[in-house]
Amino acid sequence: MSRNASFARKVAYIAAIALLLLPIAAISQPATLNPGRAEHFAGGKLSQLRAQHNLAQAELGEIDPASETMKLSTLGLRGVAANILWGWANYYKKIEDWDKLEMTVNQIIRLQPNFVEVWDFQAHNLSYNVSVEFDDYRMRYQWVKKGIDFLILGSHYNRDEPGILRQVGWFVGQKIGRADEHMQFRRLFRDDKDFHQTFRDNGIEVDNGLGPDRKPDNWLVSKLWYEKAVNAHVAYGKPIRGTTPLLFYSGAPISIMNSAAAMNKDGYFFENAVLAWQQAKDSWLRYGERELPTSVGFNIRLNEKEPVDQRIKDAKEELARLCPSAEEEIRQDKLNRLSAEKKAVMQTPAAERSSEQYALAYEAEQELKVLPRDFLGRAQRPEDRPRVRHIVDQIEQDETTSRQLEINRRIVNFEYWRMRADSELTDEAPQAHSDEYEGNKLAASGENLAKARSLYEAAWKLYAVIFEKYPELMDNAEAQDVIDSISHYRDVLGQLDEPFPADFPLWTLMDKHYKGQQIRDQVKLLQGRDATEQKKPEDTKKDDKPAETKPDAN
Amino acid sequence: MALERGIPNFLHWLLGSPTSSLLVPASWGFLFGTVAICLLLFLIVPFVCFVILSLQYGPSEAFYYVARSIFTAVTEDLPRFSSRRTFAVARLAVQEAIRNKILVGFGIFLLLLLIAGMFLDTGSRDPVYNPARVYLSFVLTATNYLVLLMALLLSAFSLPNDVKNRTIYTVVTKPIRASEIVLGRTLGFAAVGTAMLLAMGIISYFFVTWSLSHDHAIDAASVNDETGRNGSLVRRYGETTIDQHHRHTFEVDANGKGRTNTIRGHWHEVVRTEDGKYRVGPPQGHLIARAPIYGQLIIFDRDGKQGKGINVGNEWEYRGYIEGGTPGVQTKAHAVWTFSGITADRYKNGLPLELNLRVFRTFKGEIERGVLGELVIRNPNPDAPVKRSGPIVFESKEFVADRRLIPVELNSEIGGAAGAGKVDLFKDLVDGGQVQVELRCVEPAQYFGVAEPDIYLRPGDAPFELNFAKAYLSIWLQMLLVTGFGVTFSTFLSGPVALMASISAIVLGFFGQFVRDIATGTAYGGGPIESFIRIITQQNVMTDMEINKILLTIIKGCDGILMHLLQAATYILPDYTQFDTTEFVASGYNIFGSLVGQQLVMAAVYFTAVSIAGYFFLKTREIAA
């Protein structure tokens, strides 16, 4: 090839390179710092897109030189390096090399700082999986703290990420407050000044979460973290990740509930506990007022189930008034339209039905249900038909709302906690808890068993009053604590050589729990069947009736 | 520190176990294995050379060539080997290395140390976390990798570059032998590596000690006095300030002398001066080299039969677990260690035991207290008049070295040389220099996890600096081997190919066990072809391959051949994991003399073998071609 042609080609290449540099520079110009100030420059297209989708490291969180260096030094093999490190982390966990596990996990998050699930996973790994490998509860506590520290570090790299903040709240609340070693963990947490300082350094004022002993309570501090998470979502518009809004917003109020419940276990009753339960109740009511989206496309407020159900009831009554005897007619029509097979099954007693007949019977029952829509066109007066239509639409809408409320309430045990807060604010509750607590203490120490017995018996009477007002409380697992105390009461009676009282006021409670049933069976075995038979009021009245006198012959 | 390979015994390693079988090569011992491999190679290699040369020159010429090579090696080259010429070549190699800017590697090392703080996150608040381990692991690993990389690059490219640049003619035209060239180059590069290693070692030592140094002050608000019944001061206690993410509690006696607790592997001396101020000394106890005396362990199950111990569900089967309960009533499970070399002169104050147990609870029990165990000191002689001491009850601790001094005078039900109710450790329980330590868990439904190295005697510690130097010796031996292999490969391969071959030798050396697991089917995933297919089709290693059965058979067959070849190579190439002593130094354990002996013997044997191979390769190569 000639020299001229070669030269011309070189010139053309250089020119093309120079021309290409222009769009490249335009696309990849970096943004200047200090956004919001007049001289801020948004940069090229790539920079603008990063800012728009919150992908730039500065928007996401702290820029860590170590993390950036490690990412660059892997030369595009970041995924491979992270994969290898994950394998090493699992290996170190297997051979119980905790120092190296911790170091490896720290290297992993430097390579993947904005992969939020990595923070979630490894924090959970440290606090839940690794902590239980230690026998000493103090060591377990250290590793629970490590997981929490890890999440807090993750919140630096992922600023205002509600999921991470919520997880911190969960770990501080549930892991410390519900573990088998919760008493020890809570005690350590209260005195852990360095850990409190870590929270303060991260915007959580632990002095706003003090317990009755004027030291930070883990539940109340977890509430602060939940509130920070809510604030991140509400104020900064960050999406809720990894959970539904129903559960997301329930964190703080549940923490207050748990804090109040924990106070009783720690031996605080009366003013402190009553105040705590009042705050819990208020917070639960506020939670119930919050508008929450459902999976079917509309929003609900958990507090509004009762008004909705009342509306349905009133609407049905009005419907019955506007369409008298329509319900019976509709039912009869539907019965007539049933197939002969289904009619025959409906007439068969339930106990004698086969499994296929049960299925048929169920289908028949569904077909026989009188729906609001069936009332359309059955108004007694023609001018009432628009009204009937309106009522039917309203009932259907309300029933859908009521179903969603029922489902969502059950998820967060809404009614139980509301009832629990109400029951704890009765006059009987603080005294009942106090008597039970003191009775347990005396029983454990073995001193003054007679006093323990009388305290227990006073507590049972008060609990009986509470459970009569709020019988659903007996079904809940929280009532298990009372069963445990009844077990101690039985042991005290055993040591005092006294029988278990036949008129024990909490037999109904005991029948609802396995351990209670066991105690009842044991008492029955030792003392005879009569010892566990609770006399009914009618039986008592019968016995009290005076004997009939014979009429005079005259 | 877990010793998964067991406690090394030099003679056992060298000569094999007494029960070794010719049919089980793994039990042969290094000496026998080396001899066998050398004999095999001595037979196979000349034969292979003969076959190859026969194809080129015909059988008689080939035979003459091979025989002459061997003959001249023994009769001419060996007796006329000149160390003067060898050192001259070595000096040239050093100059070449410096000219090739080998000091860049040293610069990289210094840079790594400077920015180590960014990567070494030692902010853990865990009181048992030991930052010394982090720093020591880092400096040793960084040094190891850098030195090996440098040795690799230097050795693999030296001879090929000389051949390419034709400067080799200035060497081979001199009256110099191939052996002197090979050995000279190797020694020259090794000398450069040695100098760099020495410098790195010294800098690393000061880096570690500087990084770990810190001081605390006493938090005056936390100091409390404890007085006795008569009102006199018994002790003072309190907390220190925070430094390096931790604080200590401390106590001083009435004389004002005391120490802090052990946090993060170290403690400080605390002195209260006359003016009421406190002085906290530098950290101590974190740079140590325990010199444990190990015993032999036998585990007995709940029926009293020998066994491996129970697996409580751990994937890692390093430890066996013994069941707890009332001894002899609920369970007969126990573990016994037999220690030798027990004399009154050596253990004047008693037996300094250190325990590293694991605990497994089947129910929570007493959360505030550790699971209780008991130690019994036994006489190994079943006919001894005093067979055992009374139980020494202790509360178990996990993940910390629990030091217990077994006193010379022990309680016993029957009594012994020490009087009624007492026995003398050395007079009653030591027999022929041996004594047994029996461990039991006394709490029902709880378990102790034990392995042989978990209980040992710790009469004293070795100097940390010496242990640190031994770790660098291990790295030096690795460097020597890598240099030898690099030079040998470079005698007949081009630079890049020699580099690849050396890297392959290193990789096979480090991952030999993994290769053997793949070859024998212990590890899942198949050989290279199968795993490549699994990667690109994103199939996991546990499921069957979703391809045609005939194709699968062919793939598995090819993989089988490849893996068995690789497996054979792993037995021939040096096992570099045997040279890894980082964990010893980082965990604070003295590197066993037997392990150092093993490494020295291995390095000497492999170095000699590769040097001889390199000599033959260079000798038979046509330089001008």
Side-chain angles (χ1 to χ4, degrees), chain B residues 255-587:
Chain B
N255 298 325
K257 288 194 171 59
R259 53 177 274 181
T260 67
N261 61 344
T262 301
I263 294 281
R264 288 157 68 102
H266 72 280
W267 52 276
H268 305 256
E269 265 191 27
V270 179
V271 172
R272 185 171 187 271
T273 54
E274 282 177 5
D275 56 359
K277 292 199 176 130
Y278 290 88
R279 196 173 62 240
V280 181
Q284 296 185 53
H286 51 308
L287 294 177
I288 55 173
R290 296 177 188 82
I293 308 291
Y294 291 111
Q296 284 173 316
L297 169 66
I298 302 175
I299 296 177
F300 295 88
D301 64 15
R302 69 195 324 261
D303 298 319
K305 295 191 195 118
Q306 277 191 34
K308 289 195 312 181
I310 296 169
N311 185 328
V312 294
N314 289 336
E315 189 186 354
W316 190 41
E317 293 181 318
Y318 176 68
R319 289 186 170 85
Y321 283 75
I322 53 174
E323 185 189 9
T326 308
V329 175
Q330 289 171 318
T331 179
K332 294 180 185 171
H334 61 284
V336 179
W337 282 262
T338 306
F339 294 97
S340 305
I342 308 298
T343 60
D345 291 330
R346 201 171 173 195
Y347 301 100
K348 286 190 180 61
N349 299 323
L351 291 179
L353 274 185
E354 208 162 90
L355 286 70
N356 289 281
L357 303 177
R358 294 291 179 268
V359 176
F360 180 81
R361 296 187 188 224
T362 60
F363 70 102
K364 287 290 176 184
E366 286 277 334
I367 294 177
E368 302 264 357
R369 172 175 59 69
V371 172
L372 295 178
E374 65 180 33
L375 293 166
V376 172
I377 311 301
R378 290 179 5 178
N379 193 318
N381 183 357
D383 300 324
V386 179
K387 293 188 176 42
R388 53 199 291 128
S389 71
I392 303 165
V393 180
F394 67 95
E395 190 180 318
S396 60
K397 291 179 197 166
E398 263 191 330
F399 300 107
V400 288
D402 185 12
R403 297 185 81 157
R404 297 192 172 269
L405 180 66
I406 306 295
V408 176
E409 198 174 279
L410 294 158
N411 292 326
S412 169
E413 288 164 3
I414 56 168
K422 300 274 182 199
V423 290
D424 185 282
L425 173 66
F426 297 107
K427 290 177 184 157
D428 294 319
L429 299 173
V430 174
D431 183 80
Q434 287 195 331
V435 76
Q436 289 181 337
V437 174
E438 180 184 304
L439 170 77
R440 288 180 186 275
C441 175
V442 296
E443 292 197 30
Q446 315 291 27
Y447 294 75
F448 279 161
V450 295
E452 193 164 76
D454 279 352
I455 291 188
Y456 50 83
L457 298 172
R458 189 178 167 186
D461 291 354
F464 170 76
E465 288 75 14
L466 180 64
N467 206 34
F468 195 69
K470 281 196 270 189
Y472 273 82
L473 174 67
S474 304
I475 298 174
W476 182 81
L477 291 171
Q478 289 182 64
M479 186 261 313
L480 194 66
L481 286 178
V482 168
T483 306
F485 272 93
V487 168
T488 297
F489 283 130
S490 69
T491 56
F492 65 96
L493 298 170
S494 67
V497 180
L499 180 69
M500 288 301 301
S502 304
I503 290 173
S504 304
I506 293 173
V507 167
L508 280 175
F510 276 113
F511 295 99
Q513 188 55 47
F514 174 69
V515 169
R516 287 191 281 273
D517 287 345
I518 296 280
T520 54
T522 311
Y524 296 102
I529 304 172
E530 182 182 339
S531 51
F532 176 71
I533 293 172
R534 282 183 186 276
I535 287 171
I536 58 175
T537 56
Q538 297 186 346
Q539 292 179 55
N540 66 57
V541 299
M542 300 303 294
T543 54
D544 294 331
M545 288 261 283
E546 294 164 8
I547 57 170
N548 178 271
K549 282 206 171 113
I550 298 170
L551 190 60
L552 182 65
T553 312
I554 295 170
I555 288 170
K556 285 208 180 277
C558 294
D559 270 346
I561 296 169
L562 287 170
M563 289 315 301
H564 280 101
L565 281 173
L566 279 178
Q567 187 186 8
T570 64
Y571 285 117
I572 295 170
L573 293 169
D575 183 359
Y576 284 97
T577 60
Q578 302 255 18
F579 292 88
D580 184 8
T581 50
T582 304
E583 199 48 41
F584 281 88
V585 178
S587 301

Side-chain angles (χ1 to χ4, degrees), chain A residues 66 95-98 100 102-103 107 134-135 137 139-140 146 149 180-181 184 187 194 198, chain B residues 118-119 124-129 133-134 242 247 315-316 358 361 364 367-368 398-399 583:
Chain A
I95 64 169
E96 299 172 355
D97 195 334
W98 311 120
K100 284 195 175 159
E102 195 181 347
M103 282 194 299
Q107 302 310 315
F134 294 81
D135 189 56
Y137 70 91
M139 302 283 289
R140 292 184 178 203
K146 265 191 225 281
D149 276 337
D180 289 339
E181 308 89 350
Q184 289 79 14
R187 185 182 73 224
D194 297 333
T198 301
Chain B
M118 276 166 53
F119 302 96
S124 174
R125 273 193 286 246
D126 183 2
V128 180
Y129 173 78
R133 202 156 168 242
V134 176
I242 291 182
R247 66 167 88 224
E315 189 186 354
W316 190 41
R358 294 291 179 268
R361 296 187 188 224
K364 287 290 176 184
I367 294 177
E368 302 264 357
E398 263 191 330
F399 300 107
E583 199 48 41

